[in-house]
Amino acid sequence: MRRGPPRDLLAKLWGGPPELTLGGVVLTVNGDGALVERRLAGGELACPGCGGVLGGWGHARPRPVRVLDRPDAGLVPRRSRCRQCGATHVLLPAWCLSRRADAGAVIGAALEAAAAGAGHRTIAAVLGRPASTVRGWLRRFAARAEEVRAFFTVLLARTSPDPVMPAAAAGPVAAAVSAIAGAAVAVAQRWPELGTVPVWTAASAASGGLLIAPGWPGQGRNTS
Ligand SMILES: [Zn+2]
């Protein structure tokens, strides 16, 4: 840690680029626009490609993001351009997941329900989403559940001075969801000054927005 609790602490825990990203997206844990502008102006955001300083570069196309229990959020992602290599990157708040039309909390709610034994049709009805969409999330997550569990268990162990490992859970999906919740608690305890970081925001940040992206986390990466 360079200083205090970094706003993008979950990304920093992995020692990767200060703003973890893949696919041209830079994730900021606090998506608050004024803060992002200050960080851009202050040269605090680094290019994921070369480490150069990112400057403002207009905005991406507005898009709705579906959230829980509220009307869709209108997201107008800020774009940035690297002053060194010229690459452009979208700045995405961590309550979103990369390339997903639903906020992390929506997908997280589906995963929690699945961990508790609900099927995709039931979950889809409760969340008001198409069954095929929910089935897609659950399949994607289930396919990587053991890797996800390992990733967040390592994060939990590294974050907490006295880690309490999640209790045994019924099946790999439940175990992975339990590890995610445990890691979020450990982060909140270690950096109380961060305030509340919702579990699925923490999960999105830790995964660089890739929580249910293909191939994440890579096998063997960060799990030793
Ligand atoms: Zn660059």
PDB file of all heavy atoms in Angstrom, residues 92-130:
ATOM      1  N   LEU A  92     -14.883   2.841 -15.584  1.00  0.00           N
ATOM      2  CA  LEU A  92     -16.134   2.193 -15.205  1.00  0.00           C
ATOM      3  C   LEU A  92     -16.233   2.102 -13.688  1.00  0.00           C
ATOM      4  O   LEU A  92     -15.324   1.603 -13.047  1.00  0.00           O
ATOM      5  CB  LEU A  92     -16.151   0.781 -15.809  1.00  0.00           C
ATOM      6  CG  LEU A  92     -17.450   0.013 -15.767  1.00  0.00           C
ATOM      7  CD1 LEU A  92     -18.454   0.615 -16.735  1.00  0.00           C
ATOM      8  CD2 LEU A  92     -17.193  -1.446 -16.115  1.00  0.00           C
ATOM      9  N   PRO A  93     -17.339   2.586 -13.098  1.00  0.00           N
ATOM     10  CA  PRO A  93     -17.455   2.451 -11.646  1.00  0.00           C
ATOM     11  C   PRO A  93     -17.576   0.980 -11.240  1.00  0.00           C
ATOM     12  O   PRO A  93     -18.149   0.178 -11.975  1.00  0.00           O
ATOM     13  CB  PRO A  93     -18.725   3.217 -11.292  1.00  0.00           C
ATOM     14  CG  PRO A  93     -19.474   3.373 -12.564  1.00  0.00           C
ATOM     15  CD  PRO A  93     -18.486   3.265 -13.690  1.00  0.00           C
ATOM     16  N   ALA A  94     -17.049   0.654 -10.074  1.00  0.00           N
ATOM     17  CA  ALA A  94     -16.948  -0.756  -9.692  1.00  0.00           C
ATOM     18  C   ALA A  94     -18.277  -1.398  -9.335  1.00  0.00           C
ATOM     19  O   ALA A  94     -18.333  -2.606  -9.154  1.00  0.00           O
ATOM     20  CB  ALA A  94     -15.968  -0.926  -8.534  1.00  0.00           C
ATOM     21  N   TRP A  95     -19.346  -0.609  -9.233  1.00  0.00           N
ATOM     22  CA  TRP A  95     -20.634  -1.282  -9.021  1.00  0.00           C
ATOM     23  C   TRP A  95     -21.139  -1.911 -10.309  1.00  0.00           C
ATOM     24  O   TRP A  95     -22.122  -2.635 -10.316  1.00  0.00           O
ATOM     25  CB  TRP A  95     -21.669  -0.349  -8.378  1.00  0.00           C
ATOM     26  CG  TRP A  95     -21.892   0.951  -9.099  1.00  0.00           C
ATOM     27  CD1 TRP A  95     -21.279   2.142  -8.843  1.00  0.00           C
ATOM     28  CD2 TRP A  95     -22.798   1.201 -10.181  1.00  0.00           C
ATOM     29  NE1 TRP A  95     -21.747   3.101  -9.717  1.00  0.00           N
ATOM     30  CE2 TRP A  95     -22.677   2.555 -10.535  1.00  0.00           C
ATOM     31  CE3 TRP A  95     -23.707   0.393 -10.897  1.00  0.00           C
ATOM     32  CZ2 TRP A  95     -23.418   3.135 -11.573  1.00  0.00           C
ATOM     33  CZ3 TRP A  95     -24.444   0.965 -11.932  1.00  0.00           C
ATOM     34  CH2 TRP A  95     -24.299   2.325 -12.253  1.00  0.00           C
ATOM     35  N   CYS A  96     -20.443  -1.654 -11.399  1.00  0.00           N
ATOM     36  CA  CYS A  96     -20.762  -2.313 -12.671  1.00  0.00           C
ATOM     37  C   CYS A  96     -19.813  -3.487 -12.871  1.00  0.00           C
ATOM     38  O   CYS A  96     -18.758  -3.569 -12.262  1.00  0.00           O
ATOM     39  CB  CYS A  96     -20.522  -1.364 -13.835  1.00  0.00           C
ATOM     40  SG  CYS A  96     -21.594   0.057 -13.847  1.00  0.00           S
ATOM     41  N   LEU A  97     -20.215  -4.339 -13.769  1.00  0.00           N
ATOM     42  CA  LEU A  97     -19.291  -5.356 -14.249  1.00  0.00           C
ATOM     43  C   LEU A  97     -19.044  -5.070 -15.724  1.00  0.00           C
ATOM     44  O   LEU A  97     -19.932  -4.593 -16.430  1.00  0.00           O
ATOM     45  CB  LEU A  97     -19.880  -6.761 -14.085  1.00  0.00           C
ATOM     46  CG  LEU A  97     -19.936  -7.270 -12.646  1.00  0.00           C
ATOM     47  CD1 LEU A  97     -20.784  -8.535 -12.556  1.00  0.00           C
ATOM     48  CD2 LEU A  97     -18.526  -7.561 -12.124  1.00  0.00           C
ATOM     49  N   SER A  98     -17.827  -5.354 -16.151  1.00  0.00           N
ATOM     50  CA  SER A  98     -17.469  -5.083 -17.527  1.00  0.00           C
ATOM     51  C   SER A  98     -18.397  -5.827 -18.485  1.00  0.00           C
ATOM     52  O   SER A  98     -18.649  -7.021 -18.325  1.00  0.00           O
ATOM     53  CB  SER A  98     -16.018  -5.522 -17.729  1.00  0.00           C
ATOM     54  OG  SER A  98     -15.598  -5.149 -19.004  1.00  0.00           O
ATOM     55  N   ARG A  99     -18.912  -5.110 -19.465  1.00  0.00           N
ATOM     56  CA  ARG A  99     -19.736  -5.683 -20.525  1.00  0.00           C
ATOM     57  C   ARG A  99     -21.002  -6.371 -20.047  1.00  0.00           C
ATOM     58  O   ARG A  99     -21.521  -7.296 -20.687  1.00  0.00           O
ATOM     59  CB  ARG A  99     -18.928  -6.698 -21.360  1.00  0.00           C
ATOM     60  CG  ARG A  99     -17.793  -6.044 -22.116  1.00  0.00           C
ATOM     61  CD  ARG A  99     -16.812  -7.094 -22.622  1.00  0.00           C
ATOM     62  NE  ARG A  99     -15.493  -6.508 -22.790  1.00  0.00           N
ATOM     63  CZ  ARG A  99     -15.073  -5.938 -23.902  1.00  0.00           C
ATOM     64  NH1 ARG A  99     -15.864  -5.888 -24.947  1.00  0.00           N
ATOM     65  NH2 ARG A  99     -13.871  -5.418 -23.973  1.00  0.00           N
ATOM     66  N   ARG A 100     -21.536  -5.947 -18.915  1.00  0.00           N
ATOM     67  CA  ARG A 100     -22.793  -6.499 -18.419  1.00  0.00           C
ATOM     68  C   ARG A 100     -23.814  -5.385 -18.297  1.00  0.00           C
ATOM     69  O   ARG A 100     -23.481  -4.296 -17.819  1.00  0.00           O
ATOM     70  CB  ARG A 100     -22.590  -7.142 -17.042  1.00  0.00           C
ATOM     71  CG  ARG A 100     -21.713  -8.363 -17.072  1.00  0.00           C
ATOM     72  CD  ARG A 100     -22.465  -9.561 -17.629  1.00  0.00           C
ATOM     73  NE  ARG A 100     -21.535 -10.617 -17.995  1.00  0.00           N
ATOM     74  CZ  ARG A 100     -21.926 -11.744 -18.597  1.00  0.00           C
ATOM     75  NH1 ARG A 100     -23.179 -11.941 -18.906  1.00  0.00           N
ATOM     76  NH2 ARG A 100     -21.044 -12.664 -18.904  1.00  0.00           N
ATOM     77  N   ALA A 101     -25.032  -5.682 -18.690  1.00  0.00           N
ATOM     78  CA  ALA A 101     -26.095  -4.675 -18.630  1.00  0.00           C
ATOM     79  C   ALA A 101     -26.694  -4.578 -17.235  1.00  0.00           C
ATOM     80  O   ALA A 101     -27.460  -3.672 -16.948  1.00  0.00           O
ATOM     81  CB  ALA A 101     -27.182  -5.015 -19.641  1.00  0.00           C
ATOM     82  N   ASP A 102     -26.359  -5.529 -16.367  1.00  0.00           N
ATOM     83  CA  ASP A 102     -26.860  -5.507 -14.996  1.00  0.00           C
ATOM     84  C   ASP A 102     -25.731  -5.172 -14.030  1.00  0.00           C
ATOM     85  O   ASP A 102     -24.594  -5.629 -14.204  1.00  0.00           O
ATOM     86  CB  ASP A 102     -27.443  -6.877 -14.633  1.00  0.00           C
ATOM     87  CG  ASP A 102     -28.768  -7.118 -15.342  1.00  0.00           C
ATOM     88  OD1 ASP A 102     -29.816  -6.740 -14.786  1.00  0.00           O
ATOM     89  OD2 ASP A 102     -28.745  -7.659 -16.474  1.00  0.00           O
ATOM     90  N   ALA A 103     -26.059  -4.389 -13.014  1.00  0.00           N
ATOM     91  CA  ALA A 103     -25.074  -4.024 -12.004  1.00  0.00           C
ATOM     92  C   ALA A 103     -24.591  -5.269 -11.258  1.00  0.00           C
ATOM     93  O   ALA A 103     -25.281  -6.292 -11.204  1.00  0.00           O
ATOM     94  CB  ALA A 103     -25.687  -3.034 -11.020  1.00  0.00           C
ATOM     95  N   GLY A 104     -23.417  -5.158 -10.667  1.00  0.00           N
ATOM     96  CA  GLY A 104     -22.858  -6.270  -9.894  1.00  0.00           C
ATOM     97  C   GLY A 104     -23.811  -6.756  -8.807  1.00  0.00           C
ATOM     98  O   GLY A 104     -23.893  -7.958  -8.539  1.00  0.00           O
ATOM     99  N   ALA A 105     -24.549  -5.830  -8.202  1.00  0.00           N
ATOM    100  CA  ALA A 105     -25.454  -6.219  -7.116  1.00  0.00           C
ATOM    101  C   ALA A 105     -26.597  -7.105  -7.623  1.00  0.00           C
ATOM    102  O   ALA A 105     -27.080  -7.976  -6.887  1.00  0.00           O
ATOM    103  CB  ALA A 105     -26.029  -4.976  -6.444  1.00  0.00           C
ATOM    104  N   VAL A 106     -27.023  -6.902  -8.868  1.00  0.00           N
ATOM    105  CA  VAL A 106     -28.103  -7.713  -9.429  1.00  0.00           C
ATOM    106  C   VAL A 106     -27.596  -9.137  -9.671  1.00  0.00           C
ATOM    107  O   VAL A 106     -28.212 -10.127  -9.275  1.00  0.00           O
ATOM    108  CB  VAL A 106     -28.612  -7.103 -10.752  1.00  0.00           C
ATOM    109  CG1 VAL A 106     -29.666  -7.989 -11.379  1.00  0.00           C
ATOM    110  CG2 VAL A 106     -29.146  -5.695 -10.510  1.00  0.00           C
ATOM    111  N   ILE A 107     -26.446  -9.205 -10.303  1.00  0.00           N
ATOM    112  CA  ILE A 107     -25.864 -10.515 -10.593  1.00  0.00           C
ATOM    113  C   ILE A 107     -25.475 -11.205  -9.282  1.00  0.00           C
ATOM    114  O   ILE A 107     -25.678 -12.409  -9.107  1.00  0.00           O
ATOM    115  CB  ILE A 107     -24.674 -10.352 -11.556  1.00  0.00           C
ATOM    116  CG1 ILE A 107     -25.203  -9.838 -12.895  1.00  0.00           C
ATOM    117  CG2 ILE A 107     -23.910 -11.669 -11.718  1.00  0.00           C
ATOM    118  CD1 ILE A 107     -24.148  -9.442 -13.904  1.00  0.00           C
ATOM    119  N   GLY A 108     -24.980 -10.410  -8.337  1.00  0.00           N
ATOM    120  CA  GLY A 108     -24.632 -10.960  -7.024  1.00  0.00           C
ATOM    121  C   GLY A 108     -25.839 -11.525  -6.297  1.00  0.00           C
ATOM    122  O   GLY A 108     -25.763 -12.589  -5.672  1.00  0.00           O
ATOM    123  N   ALA A 109     -26.970 -10.829  -6.407  1.00  0.00           N
ATOM    124  CA  ALA A 109     -28.191 -11.333  -5.760  1.00  0.00           C
ATOM    125  C   ALA A 109     -28.590 -12.674  -6.357  1.00  0.00           C
ATOM    126  O   ALA A 109     -29.028 -13.590  -5.649  1.00  0.00           O
ATOM    127  CB  ALA A 109     -29.321 -10.315  -5.908  1.00  0.00           C
ATOM    128  N   ALA A 110     -28.416 -12.797  -7.668  1.00  0.00           N
ATOM    129  CA  ALA A 110     -28.723 -14.070  -8.330  1.00  0.00           C
ATOM    130  C   ALA A 110     -27.791 -15.173  -7.832  1.00  0.00           C
ATOM    131  O   ALA A 110     -28.215 -16.303  -7.562  1.00  0.00           O
ATOM    132  CB  ALA A 110     -28.604 -13.914  -9.844  1.00  0.00           C
ATOM    133  N   LEU A 111     -26.519 -14.836  -7.673  1.00  0.00           N
ATOM    134  CA  LEU A 111     -25.544 -15.839  -7.222  1.00  0.00           C
ATOM    135  C   LEU A 111     -25.835 -16.252  -5.774  1.00  0.00           C
ATOM    136  O   LEU A 111     -25.723 -17.432  -5.419  1.00  0.00           O
ATOM    137  CB  LEU A 111     -24.126 -15.283  -7.353  1.00  0.00           C
ATOM    138  CG  LEU A 111     -23.684 -14.949  -8.788  1.00  0.00           C
ATOM    139  CD1 LEU A 111     -22.312 -14.287  -8.791  1.00  0.00           C
ATOM    140  CD2 LEU A 111     -23.668 -16.204  -9.659  1.00  0.00           C
ATOM    141  N   GLU A 112     -26.212 -15.276  -4.947  1.00  0.00           N
ATOM    142  CA  GLU A 112     -26.548 -15.606  -3.551  1.00  0.00           C
ATOM    143  C   GLU A 112     -27.761 -16.531  -3.488  1.00  0.00           C
ATOM    144  O   GLU A 112     -27.796 -17.470  -2.696  1.00  0.00           O
ATOM    145  CB  GLU A 112     -26.832 -14.324  -2.760  1.00  0.00           C
ATOM    146  CG  GLU A 112     -25.566 -13.540  -2.439  1.00  0.00           C
ATOM    147  CD  GLU A 112     -25.867 -12.163  -1.827  1.00  0.00           C
ATOM    148  OE1 GLU A 112     -27.056 -11.853  -1.582  1.00  0.00           O
ATOM    149  OE2 GLU A 112     -24.906 -11.404  -1.602  1.00  0.00           O
ATOM    150  N   ALA A 113     -28.755 -16.246  -4.328  1.00  0.00           N
ATOM    151  CA  ALA A 113     -29.954 -17.088  -4.342  1.00  0.00           C
ATOM    152  C   ALA A 113     -29.605 -18.498  -4.826  1.00  0.00           C
ATOM    153  O   ALA A 113     -30.089 -19.495  -4.291  1.00  0.00           O
ATOM    154  CB  ALA A 113     -31.034 -16.460  -5.219  1.00  0.00           C
ATOM    155  N   ALA A 114     -28.742 -18.560  -5.833  1.00  0.00           N
ATOM    156  CA  ALA A 114     -28.323 -19.876  -6.339  1.00  0.00           C
ATOM    157  C   ALA A 114     -27.554 -20.633  -5.259  1.00  0.00           C
ATOM    158  O   ALA A 114     -27.715 -21.848  -5.093  1.00  0.00           O
ATOM    159  CB  ALA A 114     -27.467 -19.715  -7.588  1.00  0.00           C
ATOM    160  N   ALA A 115     -26.729 -19.897  -4.507  1.00  0.00           N
ATOM    161  CA  ALA A 115     -25.967 -20.530  -3.427  1.00  0.00           C
ATOM    162  C   ALA A 115     -26.906 -21.098  -2.372  1.00  0.00           C
ATOM    163  O   ALA A 115     -26.607 -22.100  -1.730  1.00  0.00           O
ATOM    164  CB  ALA A 115     -25.012 -19.508  -2.797  1.00  0.00           C
ATOM    165  N   ALA A 116     -28.064 -20.445  -2.211  1.00  0.00           N
ATOM    166  CA  ALA A 116     -29.046 -20.914  -1.234  1.00  0.00           C
ATOM    167  C   ALA A 116     -29.951 -21.992  -1.815  1.00  0.00           C
ATOM    168  O   ALA A 116     -30.876 -22.454  -1.141  1.00  0.00           O
ATOM    169  CB  ALA A 116     -29.886 -19.732  -0.737  1.00  0.00           C
ATOM    170  N   GLY A 117     -29.712 -22.366  -3.059  1.00  0.00           N
ATOM    171  CA  GLY A 117     -30.419 -23.500  -3.630  1.00  0.00           C
ATOM    172  C   GLY A 117     -31.510 -23.160  -4.636  1.00  0.00           C
ATOM    173  O   GLY A 117     -32.172 -24.057  -5.158  1.00  0.00           O
ATOM    174  N   ALA A 118     -31.730 -21.886  -4.905  1.00  0.00           N
ATOM    175  CA  ALA A 118     -32.787 -21.515  -5.858  1.00  0.00           C
ATOM    176  C   ALA A 118     -32.366 -21.833  -7.287  1.00  0.00           C
ATOM    177  O   ALA A 118     -31.180 -21.779  -7.619  1.00  0.00           O
ATOM    178  CB  ALA A 118     -33.122 -20.032  -5.728  1.00  0.00           C
ATOM    179  N   GLY A 119     -33.323 -22.130  -8.127  1.00  0.00           N
ATOM    180  CA  GLY A 119     -33.059 -22.400  -9.542  1.00  0.00           C
ATOM    181  C   GLY A 119     -33.147 -21.131 -10.363  1.00  0.00           C
ATOM    182  O   GLY A 119     -33.654 -20.111  -9.892  1.00  0.00           O
ATOM    183  N   HIS A 120     -32.667 -21.200 -11.603  1.00  0.00           N
ATOM    184  CA  HIS A 120     -32.569 -19.968 -12.386  1.00  0.00           C
ATOM    185  C   HIS A 120     -33.922 -19.350 -12.716  1.00  0.00           C
ATOM    186  O   HIS A 120     -34.057 -18.143 -12.815  1.00  0.00           O
ATOM    187  CB  HIS A 120     -31.719 -20.189 -13.645  1.00  0.00           C
ATOM    188  CG  HIS A 120     -32.398 -20.952 -14.732  1.00  0.00           C
ATOM    189  ND1 HIS A 120     -32.316 -22.320 -14.835  1.00  0.00           N
ATOM    190  CD2 HIS A 120     -33.182 -20.547 -15.756  1.00  0.00           C
ATOM    191  CE1 HIS A 120     -33.015 -22.722 -15.886  1.00  0.00           C
ATOM    192  NE2 HIS A 120     -33.549 -21.663 -16.466  1.00  0.00           N
ATOM    193  N   ARG A 121     -34.973 -20.179 -12.874  1.00  0.00           N
ATOM    194  CA  ARG A 121     -36.290 -19.606 -13.198  1.00  0.00           C
ATOM    195  C   ARG A 121     -36.860 -18.818 -12.031  1.00  0.00           C
ATOM    196  O   ARG A 121     -37.405 -17.732 -12.200  1.00  0.00           O
ATOM    197  CB  ARG A 121     -37.268 -20.718 -13.604  1.00  0.00           C
ATOM    198  CG  ARG A 121     -36.990 -21.220 -14.991  1.00  0.00           C
ATOM    199  CD  ARG A 121     -38.138 -22.048 -15.561  1.00  0.00           C
ATOM    200  NE  ARG A 121     -37.740 -22.579 -16.861  1.00  0.00           N
ATOM    201  CZ  ARG A 121     -37.011 -23.678 -17.001  1.00  0.00           C
ATOM    202  NH1 ARG A 121     -36.628 -24.361 -15.944  1.00  0.00           N
ATOM    203  NH2 ARG A 121     -36.653 -24.092 -18.202  1.00  0.00           N
ATOM    204  N   THR A 122     -36.717 -19.381 -10.847  1.00  0.00           N
ATOM    205  CA  THR A 122     -37.186 -18.683  -9.637  1.00  0.00           C
ATOM    206  C   THR A 122     -36.449 -17.362  -9.474  1.00  0.00           C
ATOM    207  O   THR A 122     -37.045 -16.319  -9.209  1.00  0.00           O
ATOM    208  CB  THR A 122     -36.900 -19.571  -8.397  1.00  0.00           C
ATOM    209  OG1 THR A 122     -37.468 -20.843  -8.636  1.00  0.00           O
ATOM    210  CG2 THR A 122     -37.475 -18.958  -7.137  1.00  0.00           C
ATOM    211  N   ILE A 123     -35.140 -17.416  -9.624  1.00  0.00           N
ATOM    212  CA  ILE A 123     -34.319 -16.214  -9.441  1.00  0.00           C
ATOM    213  C   ILE A 123     -34.699 -15.167 -10.483  1.00  0.00           C
ATOM    214  O   ILE A 123     -34.864 -13.988 -10.175  1.00  0.00           O
ATOM    215  CB  ILE A 123     -32.821 -16.569  -9.562  1.00  0.00           C
ATOM    216  CG1 ILE A 123     -32.425 -17.566  -8.469  1.00  0.00           C
ATOM    217  CG2 ILE A 123     -31.968 -15.307  -9.492  1.00  0.00           C
ATOM    218  CD1 ILE A 123     -31.038 -18.152  -8.644  1.00  0.00           C
ATOM    219  N   ALA A 124     -34.895 -15.623 -11.711  1.00  0.00           N
ATOM    220  CA  ALA A 124     -35.244 -14.697 -12.788  1.00  0.00           C
ATOM    221  C   ALA A 124     -36.569 -14.001 -12.485  1.00  0.00           C
ATOM    222  O   ALA A 124     -36.721 -12.795 -12.706  1.00  0.00           O
ATOM    223  CB  ALA A 124     -35.320 -15.451 -14.116  1.00  0.00           C
ATOM    224  N   ALA A 125     -37.527 -14.763 -11.943  1.00  0.00           N
ATOM    225  CA  ALA A 125     -38.836 -14.182 -11.630  1.00  0.00           C
ATOM    226  C   ALA A 125     -38.696 -13.143 -10.521  1.00  0.00           C
ATOM    227  O   ALA A 125     -39.270 -12.058 -10.586  1.00  0.00           O
ATOM    228  CB  ALA A 125     -39.803 -15.287 -11.220  1.00  0.00           C
ATOM    229  N   VAL A 126     -37.911 -13.457  -9.502  1.00  0.00           N
ATOM    230  CA  VAL A 126     -37.731 -12.533  -8.377  1.00  0.00           C
ATOM    231  C   VAL A 126     -37.028 -11.254  -8.839  1.00  0.00           C
ATOM    232  O   VAL A 126     -37.403 -10.151  -8.454  1.00  0.00           O
ATOM    233  CB  VAL A 126     -36.921 -13.218  -7.254  1.00  0.00           C
ATOM    234  CG1 VAL A 126     -36.511 -12.202  -6.191  1.00  0.00           C
ATOM    235  CG2 VAL A 126     -37.734 -14.342  -6.627  1.00  0.00           C
ATOM    236  N   LEU A 127     -36.041 -11.411  -9.683  1.00  0.00           N
ATOM    237  CA  LEU A 127     -35.254 -10.246 -10.107  1.00  0.00           C
ATOM    238  C   LEU A 127     -35.870  -9.524 -11.299  1.00  0.00           C
ATOM    239  O   LEU A 127     -35.421  -8.433 -11.663  1.00  0.00           O
ATOM    240  CB  LEU A 127     -33.822 -10.678 -10.470  1.00  0.00           C
ATOM    241  CG  LEU A 127     -32.943 -11.161  -9.315  1.00  0.00           C
ATOM    242  CD1 LEU A 127     -31.578 -11.609  -9.854  1.00  0.00           C
ATOM    243  CD2 LEU A 127     -32.748 -10.070  -8.268  1.00  0.00           C
ATOM    244  N   GLY A 128     -36.879 -10.147 -11.927  1.00  0.00           N
ATOM    245  CA  GLY A 128     -37.478  -9.528 -13.100  1.00  0.00           C
ATOM    246  C   GLY A 128     -36.541  -9.498 -14.291  1.00  0.00           C
ATOM    247  O   GLY A 128     -36.485  -8.528 -15.046  1.00  0.00           O
ATOM    248  N   ARG A 129     -35.787 -10.566 -14.457  1.00  0.00           N
ATOM    249  CA  ARG A 129     -34.868 -10.662 -15.587  1.00  0.00           C
ATOM    250  C   ARG A 129     -35.218 -11.902 -16.395  1.00  0.00           C
ATOM    251  O   ARG A 129     -35.797 -12.841 -15.861  1.00  0.00           O
ATOM    252  CB  ARG A 129     -33.414 -10.804 -15.091  1.00  0.00           C
ATOM    253  CG  ARG A 129     -32.927  -9.669 -14.221  1.00  0.00           C
ATOM    254  CD  ARG A 129     -32.793  -8.381 -15.014  1.00  0.00           C
ATOM    255  NE  ARG A 129     -32.210  -7.316 -14.201  1.00  0.00           N
ATOM    256  CZ  ARG A 129     -32.911  -6.445 -13.490  1.00  0.00           C
ATOM    257  NH1 ARG A 129     -34.227  -6.509 -13.472  1.00  0.00           N
ATOM    258  NH2 ARG A 129     -32.309  -5.503 -12.779  1.00  0.00           N
ATOM    259  N   PRO A 130     -34.831 -11.948 -17.671  1.00  0.00           N
ATOM    260  CA  PRO A 130     -35.112 -13.152 -18.462  1.00  0.00           C
ATOM    261  C   PRO A 130     -34.406 -14.373 -17.871  1.00  0.00           C
ATOM    262  O   PRO A 130     -33.261 -14.274 -17.420  1.00  0.00           O
ATOM    263  CB  PRO A 130     -34.536 -12.815 -19.836  1.00  0.00           C
ATOM    264  CG  PRO A 130     -34.363 -11.329 -19.847  1.00  0.00           C
ATOM    265  CD  PRO A 130     -34.143 -10.912 -18.429  1.00  0.00           C
TER     266      PRO A 130
END
